[in-house]
Amino acid sequence: MSLPQFKLLRPRALEEALALLAKHAGSPAATRVVAGGTDLIPSMRQKLFEPEYVLDIRNVGGLKDIRQTDSGVEIGALASLTAIEQSALLRRRYPVLTEAAATIASPLLRNMGTIGGNICLDTRCLWYNQSLTWRKGCGFCIKKDGDLCHVAPGGTKCWAAFSGDTPPALLCLAAEVEIASAAGTRRMPLSAFYTGEGDAYRKLRQDELLTRIFLPESSADYRGVYRKLRVRGSIDYPLAGVAVVMKRSDGHIADARLAITAVNPAPLLVKGAGELLAGKRLDEALAAAVGDLAAKMARPLTTSALTPEYRREMIRVFTKRAVLAAAEN
Ligand SMILES: Cc1cc2nc3c(=O)[nH]c(=O)nc-3n(C[C@H](O)[C@H](O)[C@H](O)COP(=O)(O)OP(=O)(O)OC[C@H]3O[C@@H](n4cnc5c(N)ncnc54)[C@H](O)[C@@H]3O)c2cc1C
């Protein structure tokens, strides 16, 4: 599958990148941002995007660093997934993030792929991530060029699943993201970045870039794990994913956070998990109850290889195992 024609813009400074975005952010098809390109380029080959301009931000300076600040750790959006995985600082202070990053795709793709691209990752569906010919043969779908949802016929909502691995870990760590445009910067909790819709899945305007991720100092005491369901042991996107972090005190759980991915149009913090676990001594029954809570929040449909029932069940099982493993950690 060939790439569509486009004009390549290669800024070297953030101000230049933002000015170019502002200049070309006319119609929705006008400009696409590319960082590592591991998701965007295959999608362009499938003609999911045929932008007039591609803004390659790889050479923009100052957005690759991972550094300790007074209030926590700041990560540039262009930090590669390998840099996240191998960062001694993150491994020591926020190990659930390095563990989640290490499960993504393959070493080569982690060298290319960035944390910003992972957060901004397009939602996925069996009816969407296909060639133009394939999609045309099926009458297209609500996410691209059509008005029918093949996985929930009769509905008006797009159920394509958000399938990134680092966002559930980042949600557990109460991460915030910095969004920049020529008009200035804004900062928001990552939990507010996603819309919950499969089509317009993120709150990012055409003229905006995600520039930095902030991990608060208060989350550095939390230890946790990430568990992921996939067909093959490597290279595959998650079909269900669970991140759990905990803070322990005197043999009890002082606080806990849980987030799921790949089973909804957005990665989600599981509400009530912290309340269920806080102040308790963990046993199998309590871990199973947390698994039930997580499974209730999962709304998988036939958007990927395995059945929705299996994926929801795996959220239950993986949550229970992850909670028990996090308590051991
Ligand atoms: C075979 C294969 C397997 C994969 N397996 C996994 C997996 O297991 N888990 C997983 O999470 N991902 C997986 N991926 C997807 C991808 O490799 C990663 O999600 C990666 O982190 C994407 O980052 P990138 O820099 O390459 O993004 P790009 O492809 O450059 O961009 C992805 C999207 O984000 C936007 N974007 C990128 N950076 C910014 C920014 N700073 N500001 C605003 N918008 C931005 C782009 O416009 C695009 O919409 C896989 C990909 C392939 C090809």
Side-chain angles (χ1 to χ4, degrees):
M1 279 179 282
S2 59
L3 277 172
Q5 293 253 328
F6 58 87
K7 291 172 199 135
L8 186 63
L9 307 170
R10 301 192 108 169
R12 294 200 158 261
L14 182 58
E15 294 67 31
E16 190 190 351
L18 297 176
L20 285 166
L21 269 184
K23 184 173 167 195
H24 297 299
S27 72
T31 311
R32 295 300 305 190
V33 170
V34 68
T38 58
D39 186 58
L40 186 78
I41 298 301
S43 300
M44 283 178 62
R45 288 187 191 281
Q46 293 177 320
K47 314 293 184 292
L48 291 170
F49 305 109
E50 296 179 80
E52 188 178 353
Y53 297 97
V54 170
L55 183 82
D56 178 357
I57 58 173
R58 239 175 317 180
N59 299 317
V60 169
L63 294 183
K64 284 193 181 147
D65 297 341
I66 301 171
R67 63 184 191 97
Q68 179 76 54
T69 67
D70 290 344
S71 54
V73 167
E74 183 186 299
I75 305 174
L78 293 177
S80 72
L81 295 167
T82 301
I84 302 288
E85 179 191 350
Q86 294 181 355
S87 159
L89 174 63
L90 292 176
R91 197 171 286 261
R92 194 173 69 249
R93 311 218 62 209
Y94 306 93
V96 70
L97 178 59
T98 54
E99 187 181 345
T103 71
I104 293 173
S106 63
L108 279 179
L109 288 162
R110 291 197 292 277
N111 286 345
M112 296 281 291
T114 63
I115 181 100
N118 199 238
I119 292 170
C120 293
L121 192 63
D122 196 6
T123 53
R124 298 183 64 77
C125 179
L126 281 178
W127 298 87
Y128 171 70
N129 299 98
Q130 302 288 354
S131 69
L132 177 60
T133 315
W134 195 102
R135 288 182 289 115
K136 199 172 172 186
C138 297
F140 296 108
C141 77
I142 217 166
K143 185 161 162 73
K144 175 76 178 151
D145 297 331
D147 52 14
L148 171 70
C149 177
H150 297 276
V151 300
T156 53
K157 179 171 167 148
C158 171
W159 285 94
F162 181 84
S163 306
D165 283 301
T166 64
L170 291 168
L171 286 173
C172 285
L173 297 172
E176 294 192 343
V177 288
E178 180 186 80
I179 311 284
S181 73
T185 58
R186 60 193 172 106
R187 193 165 152 166
M188 64 162 97
L190 180 64
S191 55
F193 182 69
Y194 300 103
T195 64
E197 303 293 325
D199 39 8
Y201 61 98
R202 56 187 186 185
K203 293 181 194 152
L204 193 70
R205 294 195 317 261
Q206 274 280 309
D207 65 338
E208 289 181 321
L209 280 180
L210 193 153
T211 41
R212 288 182 183 85
I213 300 109
F214 302 100
L215 304 178
E217 188 62 31
S218 54
S219 293
D221 301 335
Y222 288 72
R223 288 291 172 265
V225 296
Y226 180 66
R227 293 290 179 265
K228 165 175 176 175
L229 173 71
R230 53 185 161 184
V231 174
R232 294 169 292 188
S234 79
I235 302 187
D236 278 341
Y237 287 86
L239 297 172
V242 177
V244 180
V245 297
M246 276 180 199
K247 198 168 164 180
R248 307 289 306 268
S249 160
D250 293 335
H252 290 82
I253 299 165
D255 191 18
R257 299 177 198 144
L258 165 65
I260 56 177
T261 189
V263 283
N264 294 82
L268 293 179
L269 267 173
V270 177
K271 291 196 187 91
E275 288 77 356
L276 205 56
L277 288 165
K280 310 265 177 53
R281 269 182 199 283
L282 189 67
D283 58 21
E284 290 257 340
L286 182 55
V290 183
D292 291 345
L293 188 69
K296 273 193 201 131
M297 275 196 81
R299 298 264 180 285
L301 293 179
T302 50
T303 53
S304 54
L306 304 174
T307 65
E309 293 77 15
Y310 183 70
R311 283 160 59 215
R312 187 182 300 109
E313 186 55 24
M314 286 302 103
I315 287 285
R316 187 195 313 280
V317 170
F318 277 20
T319 301
K320 179 182 170 190
R321 288 182 192 162
V323 166
L324 290 168
E328 288 284 307
N329 200 333

